[in-house]
Amino acid sequence: MPQQEQDSQQTFLGFDLSTQKLKAILLNAELKVIASAEVKFDSDLPEFRTTGGANPGPNKFEYFVQPVMWVKAMDIVLDRLVIQEVDLSTVVAISGSAQQHGSLYWSKHGIAALQTLDAEKFLHAQIDDSAFVVNRTPIWMDASTLKQCFEMETAIGGQTEMVQMTGSKCYARFTGPQIRKIYQQRTHAYEDAQRISLVSSFLASLFLGKVAAIDYADGSGMNLLDIRHKTWSKTCLNACAPDLEDRLGEAVSGFSILGNVSEYFVQRFCFPPTCKVVACTGDNPSALAGMLVDRNWLSISLGTSDTLMMSLEEPPNLEEGHVLCHPTESHEYMGLLCFRNGSMVREAMNKSEADGNWEKFNELLDSTPRGNFGNMALHFNEMEIIPKAKGTLRWNKDIHPSSNDAVKGVLKFSSPQIEIRALVEGQMLHHRAIAEDMGFHFGNQTKILATGGASVNQSILQVIADVFNAPVYKQNESEAALLGAAYRAAYAFYLNKNEQREPINSYRDYILSKTPNHLKLVCEPNKDSETVYTPMLQRYRDMARVLEGQLAH
Ligand code: ADP
Ligand code: XUL
């Protein structure tokens, strides 16, 4: 077959091993989705008795997964593709996205099993419990390692040092503290662990037939990687557990081709023997890769919690929030902010002021002017992450930040519509202020990409456009993390093929040249936005200081 025709038949396979499911998509040479399949852990694999994809552990704050569940899910998802008559012999590259922070501890037997898979048998019959020395993999929901966080930060000289080195202070769910807990509580298992994988590198390992390298971006969620030098930090490794570097292996770029797919997949599923396995990464970095946005874009996910993602030139030293190595731009960083008081608070307000009806909520929101006559509110129903504050504060236009009234604020506003606008504007002012603190530069070029459950709400999106004084866009295809995995596979394959040829397109340029219309404009800011919201941003900061101060007393 002529080369061009051959190229046009190439496909790229992406996976997302998220908390609740394993999903696969196949993209054709034009990067259009041509097939997909998924396995839901709770319903498709009930024998593992997960709820929302996780098992609560025996002790407080513990959450785990039996890794064999993920192996079994891979057997099923591949079979589901085959049942749809997907031709896997066209797949030239594979990559994946996975929930961040979880850790798997390979036994000697497990590593041998990966290398000698028998194509006649299921994966899970060969990579079973005995492949791991710890058969309960701690996942990101686990919050049981506060002691180890404290120990690691103390050992390296404090929280500020940890933030400067690794981009995050120690978080209980991060992998370093989790590894330290295993080392302390199950020392023999730790000693027997030949290698340690993240969930993403475990996913790559299945296809590679050996333990795969961890990529820089997902590696940034461990409190172990020096994010500026992209190497493991010796001080952090020493603060975590002995002889750890050998167990982690070298960290690599997310565009690295780790090798060809193992013989098992060639024989059992007809993958071509030259099919490349590209390093897998975490779901958040993979989502940023899937959104194809540059440094002018702020991505806002309005899910259960509100999450902001952005590209940064330099890592800031924010005490909270996360800075990761960028998944696709080697000279940039990725900023990740997660806020607890997102949809849950909007939902509570919708219930109390609009009978739980989003249409009514929107009518009320739209009936009030931008700026809400100077009425503002902060609703941190749960302890917020940044700022560390809890409680509700309402100010009207008459309250002076340094007056006695500032602390108490106003008890309630005069109407449901004022309450609703004060909430939504307050939330978005909060998000904007913290994004600025993280180092995001707002300007004429700024654009917002909205995703997540509440991004269906046009009235909320209009408030976002106004408060951020930037147009708001949505993506045509959903599931950015999954797309990101398949796009990275395609780009890594392209880089590999063009090694000798110049010039090489950047990741974004290359993918966008094939999928130019992946976004749609949904809202534009009103002309007076900057005038209305700039003073309110300062007022938000004053209000936040009051709430923070209350907590301190
Ligand atoms: P997660 O991925 O965190 O499970 P989703 O991205 O599915 O969450 O978003 C769920 C949230 O979307 C719900 O908490 C709900 O409040 C919110 N939501 C759904 N529809 C609307 C709407 N029309 N307006 C505002 N919020 C909505
Ligand atoms: C990020 C985090 C989660 C997981 C699961 O720090 O803990 O978003 O990646 O999705």
Side-chain angles (χ1 to χ4, degrees):
M1 198 189 295
Q3 187 62 37
Q4 218 170 356
E5 207 172 308
Q6 238 176 46
D7 287 356
S8 72
Q9 289 180 2
Q10 290 170 345
T11 62
F12 307 97
L13 187 57
F15 291 92
D16 182 26
L17 178 40
S18 73
T19 313
Q20 309 211 24
K21 60 180 195 277
L22 172 66
K23 190 161 179 181
I25 47 166
L26 190 71
L27 304 186
N28 65 12
E30 277 80 51
L31 305 187
K32 299 280 170 310
V33 180
I34 51 170
S36 68
E38 69 177 28
V39 174
K40 292 201 170 113
F41 304 136
D42 292 1
S43 48
D44 287 322
L45 292 162
E47 63 273 35
F48 293 95
R49 295 169 170 257
T50 55
T51 307
N55 301 101
N59 301 310
K60 212 170 166 193
F61 305 129
E62 285 181 340
Y63 281 94
F64 72 91
V65 157
Q66 288 170 257
V68 186
M69 177 176 87
W70 292 331
V71 180
K72 212 165 177 180
M74 184 56 80
D75 281 318
I76 301 174
V77 93
L78 287 169
D79 278 347
R80 286 186 179 170
L81 287 174
V82 170
I83 289 165
Q84 293 174 41
E85 297 184 2
V86 171
D87 179 5
L88 295 172
S89 74
T90 58
V91 180
V92 290
I94 300 176
S95 191
S97 148
Q99 53 172 289
Q100 294 198 253
H101 315 301
S103 47
L104 296 99
Y105 301 78
W106 292 98
S107 66
K108 211 179 215 167
H109 168 75
I111 294 175
L114 272 178
Q115 283 164 353
T116 53
L117 291 170
D118 176 352
E120 295 298 313
K121 297 181 186 154
F122 282 115
L123 279 175
H124 72 265
Q126 306 176 74
I127 303 183
D128 56 12
D129 271 346
S130 64
F132 306 96
V133 293
V134 177
N135 57 20
R136 291 178 163 196
T137 280
I139 60 161
W140 68 277
M141 292 161 74
D142 189 291
S144 67
T145 65
L146 286 180
K147 172 178 168 283
Q148 289 76 16
C149 288
F150 178 73
E151 289 167 355
M152 282 182 64
E153 286 182 347
T154 310
I156 78 152
Q159 198 167 86
T160 312
E161 281 68 15
M162 186 58 85
V163 173
Q164 267 166 11
M165 180 68 81
T166 71
S168 300
K169 70 174 199 182
C170 269
Y171 283 88
R173 68 184 191 287
F174 274 43
T175 323
Q178 292 287 345
I179 293 174
R180 181 164 176 79
K181 179 179 159 195
I182 301 268
Y183 161 65
Q184 288 179 335
Q185 299 186 357
R186 306 201 43 201
T187 309
H188 288 306
Y190 179 81
E191 281 164 358
D192 288 345
Q194 306 291 303
R195 293 290 303 271
I196 299 175
S197 289
L198 291 179
V199 186
S200 59
S201 60
F202 152 79
L203 180 59
S205 306
L206 290 181
F207 286 100
L208 197 60
K210 59 182 183 209
V211 177
I214 292 172
D215 93 297
Y216 304 137
D218 209 14
S220 311
M222 302 173 81
N223 289 132
L224 296 175
L225 191 80
D226 172 345
I227 56 164
R228 286 172 178 80
H229 296 105
K230 299 181 177 166
T231 51
W232 301 119
S233 151
K234 298 255 187 287
T235 10
C236 294
L237 294 179
N238 290 340
C240 179
D243 304 320
L244 186 50
E245 194 158 6
D246 289 347
R247 287 174 169 81
L248 297 177
E250 200 187 349
V252 300
S253 145
F255 293 137
S256 303
I257 289 181
L258 304 176
N260 289 343
V261 83
S262 84
E263 193 55 29
Y264 176 85
F265 295 92
V266 178
Q267 287 179 17
R268 190 171 172 95
F269 296 102
C270 303
F271 281 90
T274 51
C275 173
K276 306 295 176 216
V277 180
V278 176
C280 296
T281 192
D283 53 1
N284 293 300
S286 195
L288 190 63
M291 291 175 192
L292 305 170
V293 290
D294 64 20
R295 241 190 290 147
N296 292 317
W297 288 81
L298 180 68
S299 133
I300 304 188
S301 160
L302 303 163
T304 309
S305 46
D306 288 356
T307 304
L308 268 51
M309 286 187 219
M310 64 197 89
S311 300
L312 298 168
E313 251 171 290
E314 275 301 315
N317 283 322
L318 256 196
E319 111 203 44
E320 300 279 350
H322 310 300
V323 182
L324 284 65
C325 293
H326 198 288
T328 61
E329 308 304 310
S330 60
H331 299 297
E332 292 180 14
Y333 295 87
M334 168 179 173
L336 179 64
L337 292 165
C338 188
F339 301 119
R340 281 213 185 100
N341 295 286
S343 276
M344 300 320 280
V345 181
R346 290 188 288 274
E347 239 170 68
M349 179 69 75
N350 183 23
K351 226 182 205 161
S352 67
E353 307 298 322
D355 308 318
N357 178 340
W358 286 117
E359 272 169 35
K360 189 169 169 193
F361 181 97
N362 290 352
E363 267 172 36
L364 292 168
L365 178 58
D366 295 340
S367 73
T368 41
R370 289 179 291 288
N372 208 17
F373 309 109
N375 297 302
M376 289 178 63
L378 293 186
H379 293 269
F380 296 139
N381 294 2
E382 298 282 332
M383 172 74 77
E384 192 43 272
I385 299 170
I386 320 182
K388 221 173 183 41
K390 188 171 187 315
T392 296
L393 186 64
R394 294 178 178 85
W395 281 8
N396 60 27
K397 67 176 183 356
D398 299 324
I399 289 182
H400 191 275
S402 53
S403 70
N404 285 342
D405 293 345
V407 175
K408 241 167 103 205
V410 179
L411 231 53
K412 191 101 176 94
F413 291 130
S414 57
S415 67
Q417 50 269 42
I418 294 200
E419 283 293 353
I420 289 175
R421 180 163 284 271
L423 162 74
V424 182
E425 287 188 345
Q427 285 187 322
M428 299 314 155
L429 285 163
H430 161 244
H431 297 357
R432 178 171 174 167
I434 311 296
E436 266 177 14
D437 293 348
M438 183 162 242
F440 186 83
H441 299 297
F442 287 93
N444 294 340
Q445 299 299 314
T446 302
K447 297 182 196 73
I448 309 286
L449 182 56
T451 62
S455 68
V456 297
N457 187 316
Q458 190 74 14
S459 304
I460 293 179
L461 297 185
Q462 186 60 54
V463 175
I464 294 183
D466 287 326
V467 171
F468 288 85
N469 193 24
V472 176
Y473 292 78
K474 293 211 295 190
Q475 237 177 343
N476 291 329
E477 296 271 4
S478 56
E479 306 200 73
L482 185 60
L483 278 177
Y487 287 164
R488 280 187 316 96
Y491 185 66
F493 182 79
Y494 161 81
L495 280 183
N496 187 53
K497 206 173 70 178
N498 286 276
E499 212 169 10
Q500 309 304 327
R501 282 187 240 153
E502 290 287 331
I504 288 179
N505 284 320
S506 74
Y507 167 77
R508 270 191 298 260
D509 288 349
Y510 178 72
I511 305 292
L512 284 173
S513 71
K514 299 192 172 248
T515 56
N517 303 316
H518 73 119
L519 296 175
K520 58 173 178 280
L521 176 67
V522 285
C523 285
E524 294 214 67
N526 284 285
K527 293 222 159 49
D528 60 358
S529 295
E530 193 69 16
T531 335
V532 173
Y533 291 105
T534 307
M536 286 173 74
L537 198 63
Q538 182 52 48
R539 228 164 143 69
Y540 153 78
R541 290 189 185 277
D542 294 332
M543 292 178 74
R545 215 163 294 131
V546 169
L547 275 182
E548 271 182 292
Q550 277 176 353
L551 197 76
H553 289 118

